[in-house]
Amino acid sequence: MKTMSEEISNCNHKDHDKNSYCVSIVPIFNHLDAAELKEIVRTARSVSYPRGQMIYRPGELSDGLYIVHKGSLRIFRESSGGKEQLVRILGPGEFSGESALFNESVHDAYAEALEPLELCMIGRESMQTFLLKYPQIALKMLAEFSSRLATSEEQAARIAMETVETRVALYLAGQVEAWKNTCIKLPMRRKDLASHLGTTPETISRKLADFEAAGWIRQTGQRDIEVIDLDALLLV
Amino acid sequence: MKTMSEEISNCNHKDHDKNSYCVSIVPIFNHLDAAELKEIVRTARSVSYPRGQMIYRPGELSDGLYIVHKGSLRIFRESSGGKEQLVRILGPGEFSGESALFNESVHDAYAEALEPLELCMIGRESMQTFLLKYPQIALKMLAEFSSRLATSEEQAARIAMETVETRVALYLAGQVEAWKNTCIKLPMRRKDLASHLGTTPETISRKLADFEAAGWIRQTGQRDIEVIDLDALLLV
DNA sequence: TCGAGTCCTTGATGCCGCTCAAGTTTCGAT
DNA sequence: ATCGAAACTTGAGCGGCATCAAGGACTCGA
């Protein structure tokens, strides 16, 4: 394979130790065989961002699909009044930029690097080609979208109908499930958690303090929480 | 084509006058040629519901994809406390049931007929087959999902960050755009509009009354509103 | 290791919007 | 056309939560 260096120049995200391409960790691609993966990798570009830098902003033209290789980023929206709402945090293997891929070609949210970040970028046209050539990719992407849609609608419903207390409790329950452990580490600061749950950092602090006073949780570090009584929490 | 009666028995939604199948009005299918359409129609089943009847409920197994042929239905979720939030209203040509198609096989919301309703149903397996056979369908569906996702995230952000007044104003602005006219007809009752915007019917009434008092709108009928000063409305 | 900046906590205050209630209008079925 | 039920409006009261403010804790880079 003389293309080794070529791959590197296009997308240097080949993990030499694990012999895997950046895209191979992505669920929507991981059913492809090595040759197909390489075809995709060849069209991918690699980009790095320092902590805090914006990857894109609302109104900017879309380049294509962004796949996180290392680090993490947050997607957020901004209201007329300047408040922001965190939509989602992306870790390795997750992707973004899709809204601009299929409909309008401009982004509708902000994407900001939370840590030193490495992305793989697949151009709009390449992506369309792959989707037609390998319909399985489209199917996986449909599944992913469908899942995101369900999450987003559930989120909207929660913010619309539940009290802040319930939302915080439900979030903690979700984290316990995600970590498969009653000791959880919040993946973001209060400010982002607040904007995600549609409240303020102050209220988050207060509610967590209330839960602790009730003996349902224990706050060990700023972002470390041990859930003691999950059932009580969900009865709020 | 001896299949005429067969089509009818499977899906009686052939509009004799317009020579179009129920599925041909659906954006995700309307690029197919007649033969392909017929192939899909053949696998579709037709179902009717009287006003007020539930098409599905959360937890029920998914049958497949529901396509609205005549009438309309509303999708809504229910909170622990029994409050409901309207997610979306579907009219002819729109579809639902997708969340159950790709991920879990159970529904996560309610679907209820708002008027006498006729649906086309395409089974889960058939749908998967079509998606692989005609990747263009998958691409259109991805575009539709992506658009719904953007809408849903925007909705969540609005409920989380904007005041009720702003949300009502933005909703009216959206309707003006949808109707391409400053005289609009609300597509739902106060109760549903309220649950859609994350508020109560009383508050909707009050805000509309405020807007009218300010001279920005005129309420001509219960659901008929004339927007007089759109700019002022958006400055709220 | 240290210091500055950021993040978090806790308190006091005020208001937006929900709730409950009662009266009025509209809708839809017979 | 008429009646009953459902939907809408308006009012009064209150509570949850945002806001503003100040002090304390943590983090990260030098």
Side-chain angles (χ1 to χ4, degrees):
Chain A
M1 314 274 144
K2 62 146 182 58
T3 54
M4 189 61 179
S5 64
E6 184 184 327
E7 289 155 22
I8 290 178
S9 72
N10 284 321
C11 176
N12 60 14
H13 289 161
K14 191 174 195 300
D15 293 340
H16 31 286
D17 53 336
K18 301 173 59 187
N19 193 34
S20 66
Y21 299 105
C22 61
V23 296
S24 64
I25 57 170
V26 182
I28 59 169
F29 290 131
N30 67 5
H31 67 286
L32 299 173
D33 65 33
E36 293 166 344
L37 270 184
K38 196 179 295 177
E39 178 186 354
I40 292 180
V41 168
R42 202 176 304 127
T43 72
R45 286 199 307 111
S46 159
V47 207
S48 293
Y49 298 85
R51 170 203 202 79
Q53 182 159 341
M54 289 293 178
I55 291 93
Y56 56 74
R57 297 160 190 277
E60 287 183 6
L61 283 173
S62 162
D63 299 296
L65 200 69
Y66 295 92
I67 298 169
V68 178
H69 182 233
K70 282 183 181 166
S72 64
L73 60 85
R74 66 182 187 126
I75 311 283
F76 65 96
R77 290 165 172 268
E78 198 169 42
S79 79
S80 37
K83 296 185 194 175
E84 57 184 48
Q85 195 213 14
L86 185 129
V87 175
R88 177 185 315 124
I89 287 187
L90 298 185
E94 303 187 290
F95 63 86
S96 171
E98 66 288 347
S99 74
L101 255 187
F102 300 105
N103 294 303
E104 328 183 18
S105 57
V106 294
H107 295 287
D108 51 6
Y110 295 86
E112 178 190 11
L114 284 175
E115 326 161 36
L117 182 67
E118 290 180 23
L119 297 179
C120 276
M121 233 210 55
I122 300 181
R124 186 193 191 90
E125 295 75 15
S126 307
M127 201 57 216
Q128 301 257 353
T129 308
F130 292 135
L131 288 172
L132 288 174
K133 189 168 177 185
Y134 307 111
Q136 283 289 353
I137 299 181
L139 236 58
K140 292 229 181 179
M141 215 157 167
L142 279 168
E144 169 68 21
F145 275 24
S146 157
S147 161
R148 282 193 193 177
L149 191 56
T151 303
S152 174
E153 286 178 353
E154 166 127 40
Q155 182 67 8
R158 280 189 187 175
I159 297 179
M161 302 184 302
E162 313 281 8
T163 65
V164 169
E165 194 162 57
T166 306
R167 279 178 260 162
V168 175
L170 285 171
Y171 180 81
L172 291 179
Q175 287 299 305
V176 167
E177 189 151 337
W179 289 84
K180 298 184 196 310
N181 192 327
T182 55
C183 291
I184 61 182
K185 190 180 236 338
L186 302 180
M188 53 185 123
R189 49 186 185 219
R190 296 280 183 279
K191 184 184 155 204
D192 285 330
L193 184 52
S195 86
H196 184 56
L197 297 178
T199 180
T200 60
E202 294 93 328
T203 300
I204 299 263
S205 276
R206 280 186 248 273
K207 292 309 175 188
L208 288 180
D210 290 348
F211 291 164
E212 187 161 28
W216 301 337
I217 67 171
R218 247 170 50 83
Q219 301 189 62
T220 55
Q222 267 199 154
R223 295 192 184 182
D224 299 287
I225 293 178
E226 181 190 354
V227 176
I228 298 170
D229 192 341
L230 187 58
D231 297 328
L233 214 50
L234 293 175
L235 280 184
V236 167
Chain B
M1 309 279 143
K2 63 146 182 55
T3 54
M4 188 60 179
S5 63
E6 185 185 328
E7 288 156 21
I8 290 177
S9 71
N10 284 322
C11 176
N12 59 15
H13 289 162
K14 190 174 197 302
D15 293 339
H16 31 287
D17 54 335
K18 300 173 61 186
N19 193 35
S20 66
Y21 298 105
C22 61
V23 296
S24 64
I25 58 169
V26 182
I28 59 169
F29 291 131
N30 67 6
H31 67 285
L32 298 172
D33 65 33
E36 293 166 343
L37 271 183
K38 196 180 292 177
E39 177 187 355
I40 292 180
V41 168
R42 202 177 303 129
T43 72
R45 285 199 308 112
S46 159
V47 208
S48 293
Y49 298 86
R51 169 203 205 77
Q53 183 159 340
M54 290 291 179
I55 292 93
Y56 55 75
R57 297 162 191 273
E60 286 184 6
L61 282 173
S62 161
D63 299 297
L65 199 70
Y66 295 92
I67 299 169
V68 178
H69 182 233
K70 282 183 182 167
S72 65
L73 60 85
R74 66 182 187 125
I75 311 284
F76 66 97
R77 290 164 173 269
E78 199 169 42
S79 79
S80 38
K83 297 184 193 176
E84 57 185 48
Q85 195 214 14
L86 185 126
V87 175
R88 178 185 313 124
I89 287 187
L90 297 185
E94 302 186 290
F95 63 87
S96 170
E98 66 288 348
S99 75
L101 255 187
F102 300 103
N103 293 304
E104 330 184 16
S105 58
V106 294
H107 295 288
D108 50 6
Y110 294 86
E112 178 190 11
L114 283 174
E115 326 161 35
L117 182 67
E118 290 180 23
L119 297 180
C120 275
M121 232 209 56
I122 300 181
R124 185 194 191 90
E125 295 76 16
S126 307
M127 200 57 216
Q128 302 257 355
T129 307
F130 292 136
L131 287 172
L132 287 174
K133 190 168 177 184
Y134 307 112
Q136 283 288 354
I137 299 181
L139 237 59
K140 292 227 181 183
M141 216 158 167
L142 278 169
E144 169 69 20
F145 275 24
S146 157
S147 159
R148 283 194 193 177
L149 191 56
T151 303
S152 174
E153 286 179 353
E154 165 127 39
Q155 182 68 7
R158 280 188 188 176
I159 297 180
M161 304 184 301
E162 313 282 8
T163 65
V164 169
E165 195 161 56
T166 306
R167 278 178 261 162
V168 175
L170 285 171
Y171 180 82
L172 291 179
Q175 287 298 304
V176 166
E177 190 153 336
W179 288 84
K180 298 184 197 308
N181 192 327
T182 56
C183 292
I184 61 182
K185 191 180 234 340
L186 302 180
M188 53 186 122
R189 50 186 185 223
R190 296 280 184 279
K191 185 185 155 204
D192 284 331
L193 183 52
S195 86
H196 183 56
L197 298 179
T199 180
T200 61
E202 293 93 329
T203 299
I204 299 265
S205 276
R206 280 186 250 271
K207 292 307 174 188
L208 289 180
D210 289 349
F211 291 164
E212 187 161 28
W216 300 336
I217 66 171
R218 249 171 49 84
Q219 302 190 62
T220 56
Q222 266 198 154
R223 295 192 183 183
D224 299 288
I225 293 177
E226 181 190 353
V227 176
I228 298 170
D229 192 342
L230 186 58
D231 296 327
L233 213 50
L234 293 176
L235 281 184
V236 168

